[in-house]
Amino acid sequence: MTTQTNVLERFSPLWEASDTPPRWVIWHTGDGESLVFDREFNMPFEVDDQVAGEVMRRMRAAGIPEGDDYPGRPCG
């Protein structure tokens, strides 16, 4: 059985990131939704809905940047 703790361990690199600038950021999309964005792959990073709030709480506590502006590179 998978516990929430086990699920959260999979996402721990999101708040333990030490890259400058950080690979993962919190992006407020403008429609009231906040997503984890992977700047290396230039796309939203899928986080399980059941732990998304806790993942973002831990990211914020670690000082991971967040903002309203699109955090990626231009597409195409």
Side-chain angles (χ1 to χ4, degrees):
M1 176 179 223
T2 303
T3 65
Q4 182 170 345
T5 303
N6 292 346
V7 172
L8 285 170
E9 283 300 312
R10 282 192 354 221
F11 296 111
S12 66
L14 298 175
W15 57 84
E16 293 172 355
S18 61
D19 295 335
T20 305
R23 176 178 174 176
W24 297 284
V25 296
I26 299 172
W27 175 36
H28 306 290
T29 63
D31 60 359
E33 186 175 16
S34 295
L35 305 170
V36 176
F37 192 88
D38 184 335
R39 296 195 307 188
E40 181 177 318
F41 289 109
N42 203 41
M43 60 188 279
F45 183 80
E46 188 172 330
V47 176
D48 301 336
D49 288 341
Q50 64 192 26
V51 296
E54 179 63 15
V55 166
M56 285 191 236
R57 185 195 70 74
R58 291 180 185 204
M59 290 177 74
R60 287 180 178 112
I64 300 298
E66 60 184 294
D68 299 332
D69 295 332
Y70 178 70
R73 301 176 305 278
C75 298

